[in-house]
Amino acid sequence: MIIAIDGPAGVGKSTVAKLLAARLGYLYLDTGALYRAIAWKVLQSKVQPTDHEQVTALLDSTSVHMQYHNGAMQVLVDGREVTGELRTPEVTGTASIVSAIPAVREWLLPIQRQIGQRGSVVAEGRDVGTKVFPSAPLKFFLEADATVRAERRHRELVAAGHGRAIEETYQDLSGRDMRDRNRSIAPLIPAADARPIDTSVLNVDQVVEQMMAAVSAAL
Ligand code: DC
């Protein structure tokens, strides 16, 4: 069973996906971390993220692997564990840009599907229900008001020591949203069979409970 959770940044996907995976004893697959891994490599290599040709060429000399340690997903780029370096604003902005490059998306597809083959996975991202696992039996699409999402992301950044003006976070989030929703390849849209959940006025537990009810009905 694969459970697909898609939605925009700051909607609470990672939090609920992790909790749902823990409740069910499933693996948690954070597909955004893979785009962040490519962004990390692009930054290390001093390649322009907007240069499709150079980013595509860089993939030939890149390896990205995932491993699980006590249930937590770790990302290795060229054999180096970089999980803790993937959530800086710099990597976040670069990931949003390189994720619009078709070759990057194609390159990451088999890596994501390989994890899916292990079965019992909660996968979270922008296109897991539409493109990566289109036949997943259970799909959710989370939405929330942009202001609520910016507030949530702001709190996360402050907690992680990357605090800055909330307006800046709002602008970043809106820019990423626009890129994610409007890119020509695998844009952020709900799968036809996804269940929408508006998390604007729901807390984490309420969202997880709604999902658990759907899982119980589907099993
Ligand atoms: O979920 P996240 O913020 O960690 O994702 C980082 C970036 O990766 C995001 O701006 C869009 C991209 N992404 C994507 O295009 N497709 C996915 N399945 C997951 C993430």
Side-chain angles (χ1 to χ4, degrees):
M1 165 93 141
I2 292 179
I3 300 175
I5 304 177
D6 288 304
V11 80
K13 285 189 312 282
S14 308
T15 311
V16 297
K18 268 185 217 158
L19 285 170
L20 189 67
R23 287 268 292 263
L24 295 166
Y26 281 23
L27 280 184
Y28 162 58
L29 171 57
D30 170 8
T31 61
L34 298 172
Y35 290 91
R36 288 170 182 272
I38 302 294
W40 182 89
K41 176 77 183 259
V42 164
L43 287 166
Q44 290 279 313
S45 313
K46 310 255 183 283
V47 163
Q48 277 300 320
T50 46
D51 187 332
H52 286 213
E53 255 174 50
Q54 276 203 43
V55 173
T56 303
L58 190 67
L59 296 173
D60 288 337
S61 58
T62 302
S63 77
V64 172
H65 290 287
M66 280 188 286
Q67 65 186 26
Y68 288 89
H69 184 70
N70 294 333
M73 196 180 115
Q74 295 181 332
V75 184
L76 288 87
V77 178
D78 303 333
R80 178 172 156 192
E81 210 261 288
V82 297
T83 321
E85 298 167 48
L86 298 182
R87 310 215 68 88
T88 63
E90 207 185 7
V91 170
T92 302
T94 306
S96 172
I97 297 166
V98 298
S99 67
I101 302 176
V104 169
R105 305 202 70 84
E106 283 305 311
W107 195 87
L108 288 175
L109 209 46
I111 300 176
Q112 297 169 76
R113 289 190 175 148
Q114 225 167 24
I115 302 281
Q117 271 168 9
R118 299 195 197 178
S120 304
V121 172
V122 177
E124 168 244 308
R126 304 290 189 290
D127 64 342
V128 289
T130 49
K131 172 85 180 158
V132 185
F133 303 117
S135 52
L138 201 51
K139 300 175 185 175
F140 298 99
F141 193 87
L142 304 189
E143 268 293 2
D145 193 74
T147 319
V148 173
R149 292 191 284 118
E151 281 164 8
R152 284 181 187 157
R153 186 46 55 94
H154 181 69
R155 278 198 296 273
E156 272 173 26
L157 285 170
V158 169
H162 300 299
R164 57 186 179 161
I166 189 163
E167 290 76 24
E168 222 179 308
T169 303
Y170 182 85
Q171 292 303 333
D172 272 8
L173 209 98
S174 307
R176 288 173 68 197
D177 263 12
M178 230 179 49
R179 278 195 292 273
D180 290 349
R181 291 183 205 263
N182 296 311
R183 67 179 170 227
S184 54
I185 177 168
L188 172 66
I189 42 163
D193 52 348
R195 295 155 195 257
I197 301 180
D198 187 339
T199 72
S200 306
V201 291
L202 297 175
N203 64 32
V204 169
D205 289 340
Q206 289 169 321
V207 177
V208 174
E209 283 315 319
Q210 276 200 24
M211 290 178 163
M212 282 300 290
V215 173
S216 303
L219 284 177

